[in-house]
C-alpha cells in the first residue's frame, strides 16, 4: 500500500517544525518546564508492566526521555521519529547518559515495518494526532500487528471531549492555562494545534482502538484535553 499515490505523506511535518534544531531545543526546554516527565514515565512503565527481558517500541520518540528511561529497565528499545533532527538530539542525550540498548529509526506510524520478534509493548505520546483519522486507524492496525498476544499499547495524546457544551470556553480555558504555565509562544502552538492538526474526539479514538482489535484496559484523563489509553492485544484477530 505504501507505494500508492493516495497514501498520506507522514514525513511532511504539520504544526511545529520538528525538523528545525531551534524548535527541537525549544520544545525540550518547554517540556522540561511544564511536564513532570519523571512521573509520566513511571506511569507508562507501570502500565505496560515493563520487565528486563522486554522489547518496547516508541513512535514519535521526540527528545527521547521515555526511551532513555525505559532502556534502563528493558532488553531493547526501538525509538522512532520522522525527524532526523529529533533523532540526533535524542541519540546524543542517550549517549551522554550512557544508555546503549536503544536503536533509532527514522520512520513513522505508517512507514515503519517491524521485521524482528513481536514486541512486548508499543508506546506513543503526543504524536498520533499528526495523522488524519483514517491514517490513525491504519497506524493502530499496524501497531496491533507488531505486538505479541498480551502485549501492551500505551497511547497518550490530545483528544477532545464530546461531552463539552461550549467548545469556545473549553479551548479558551485550555489556552489560558497554557499561558499561565508556559508562555505566549506555546499558547500560540496550542491554537495552531486545534486549528491545523488532527486531534480527534474521545468516542472516535475509543472506537478506532477497539476496531483495530485492542481491549482498552484503562482510560485516564491526565489534564486538559490529554487522554491516556492503556490497551492490550487480546487473542482475537483485529476486527
Ligand atoms: C509533540 S512531539 C512529542 C514528542 C515526545 N513523544 C514527547 O512526548 O515529548 C511529536 C513528535 O512526533 C513526531 N512525529 C510527527 N509525525 C509522526 C509520524 N507520522 N510518525 C512518528 N512520529 C511522528 C514529531 O517529529 C515529533 O518528534
Amino acid at each position: 500500500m505504501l507505494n500508492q499515490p493516495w497514501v498520506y505523506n507522514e514525513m511532511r511535518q504539520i504544526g511545529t517544525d520538528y525538523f528545525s534544531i531551534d524548535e527541537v531545543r525549544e520544545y525540550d526546554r518547554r517540556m522540561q518546564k511544564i511536564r513532570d516527565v519523571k512521573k509520566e514515565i513511571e506511569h507508562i512503565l507501570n502500565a505496560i508492566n515493563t520487565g528486563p527481558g522486554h522489547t518496547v517500541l516508541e513512535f514519535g520518540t521526540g527528545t527521547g526521555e521515555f526511551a532513555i528511561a525505559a532502556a534502563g529497565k528493558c532488553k531493547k528499545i526501538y525509538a522512532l521519529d520522522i525527524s532526523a533532527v529529533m533523532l540526533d538530539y535524542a541519540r546524543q542525550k542517550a549517549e551522554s547518559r550512557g544508555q546503549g540498548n536503544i536503536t533509532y529509526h527514522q520512520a513513522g506510524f505508517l512507514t515503519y515495518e517491524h521485521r524482528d520478534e513481536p514486541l512486548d509493548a508499543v508506546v506513543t505520546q503526543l504524536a498520533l494526532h499528526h495523522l488524519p483519522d483514517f491514517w490513525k486507524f491504519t497506524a493502530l492496525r499496524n501497531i496491533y500487528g507488531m505486538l505479541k498476544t498480551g502485549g501492551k499499547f500505551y497511547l497518550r495524546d490530545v483528544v477532545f471531549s464530546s461531552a463539552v457544551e461550549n467548545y469556545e470556553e473549553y479551548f479558551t480555558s485550555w489556552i489560558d492555562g497554557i499561558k499561565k504555565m508556559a508562555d505566549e509562544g506555546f499558547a500560540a502552538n496550542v491554537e495552531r494545534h486545534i486549528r491545523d492538526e488532527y486531534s480527534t474526539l474521545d468516542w472516535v479514538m475509543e472506537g478506532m482502538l477497539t476496531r483495530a482489535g485492542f481491549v482498552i484496559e484503562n482510560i485516564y484523563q491526565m489534564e486538559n484535553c490529554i487522554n491516556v489509553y492503556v490497551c492490550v492485544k487480546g487473542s482475537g484477530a483485529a476486527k
Side-chain angles (χ1 to χ4, degrees), residues 137 140-141 144 206-216 231-239:
F137 184 56
L140 295 174
R141 283 166 59 147
Y144 189 88
E206 285 166 42
M208 287 197 286
L209 284 164
T210 49
R211 281 168 181 76
F214 289 106
V215 175
I216 303 176
C231 306
V232 64
K233 175 173 176 167
S235 48
K239 288 169 200 152

Side-chain angles (χ1 to χ4, degrees), residues 1 109-110 128 131-144 200 204-214 238-239:
M1 171 156 124
F109 294 106
L110 304 176
L128 192 64
L131 301 179
D133 280 0
F134 172 76
W135 300 104
K136 285 192 191 83
F137 184 56
T138 306
L140 295 174
R141 283 166 59 147
N142 288 347
I143 291 168
Y144 189 88
T200 195
V204 179
M205 186 61 90
E206 285 166 42
M208 287 197 286
L209 284 164
T210 49
R211 281 168 181 76
F214 289 106
K239 288 169 200 152

Side-chain angles (χ1 to χ4, degrees), residues 10 13 18-19 27 31 35 58-63 80-83 86 107-110 125-127 129-131 156:
E10 67 173 348
Q13 285 271 3
Y18 298 112
F19 294 163
Y27 179 79
M31 293 303 111
R35 283 165 68 174
E58 186 186 26
F59 280 106
T61 200
T63 59
L80 275 73
D81 205 288
I82 58 162
S83 162
M86 270 294 194
F109 294 106
L110 304 176
Q125 296 194 79
L126 305 174
H129 66 264
H130 287 271
L131 301 179
R156 174 168 187 257

Side-chain angles (χ1 to χ4, degrees), residues 43-115:
H43 191 262
I44 303 174
L45 294 175
N46 283 333
I48 64 173
N49 300 329
T50 328
H54 284 185
T55 51
V56 177
L57 183 146
E58 186 186 26
F59 280 106
T61 200
T63 59
E65 291 291 343
F66 169 74
I68 294 170
K73 312 257 179 201
C74 303
K75 187 169 80 178
K76 182 167 183 185
I77 309 292
Y78 301 82
L80 275 73
D81 205 288
I82 58 162
S83 162
V85 177
M86 270 294 194
L87 289 172
D88 280 347
Y89 189 90
R91 197 183 284 112
Q92 278 171 28
K93 207 190 252 190
E95 278 168 14
S96 73
R97 297 193 201 162
Q99 282 305 352
N101 52 340
I102 309 173
T103 57
Y104 293 90
H105 300 268
Q106 188 182 8
F109 294 106
L110 304 176
T111 39
Y112 177 70
E113 286 179 63
H114 188 69
R115 295 208 177 86

Side-chain angles (χ1 to χ4, degrees), residues 105-216:
H105 300 268
Q106 188 182 8
F109 294 106
L110 304 176
T111 39
Y112 177 70
E113 286 179 63
H114 188 69
R115 295 208 177 86
D116 299 341
E117 293 293 300
L119 299 157
D120 294 286
V122 171
V123 171
T124 186
Q125 296 194 79
L126 305 174
L128 192 64
H129 66 264
H130 287 271
L131 301 179
D133 280 0
F134 172 76
W135 300 104
K136 285 192 191 83
F137 184 56
T138 306
L140 295 174
R141 283 166 59 147
N142 288 347
I143 291 168
Y144 189 88
M146 292 170 204
L147 283 165
K148 288 179 180 165
T149 299
K152 296 280 191 147
F153 175 45
Y154 186 103
L155 165 65
R156 174 168 187 257
D157 208 353
V158 176
V159 174
F160 301 136
S161 168
S162 50
V164 168
E165 301 242 329
N166 182 332
Y167 282 101
E168 192 170 342
E169 275 175 17
Y170 174 71
F171 290 138
T172 304
S173 113
W174 182 27
I175 293 160
D176 286 347
I178 295 286
K179 280 183 191 159
K180 282 192 202 117
M181 204 170 42
D183 50 75
E184 294 278 342
F186 193 49
N189 285 2
V190 170
E191 286 165 358
R192 187 179 52 204
H193 181 116
I194 299 165
R195 189 181 57 240
D196 297 339
E197 301 186 32
Y198 301 112
S199 277
T200 195
L201 287 159
D202 46 11
W203 61 273
V204 179
M205 186 61 90
E206 285 166 42
M208 287 197 286
L209 284 164
T210 49
R211 281 168 181 76
F214 289 106
V215 175
I216 303 176

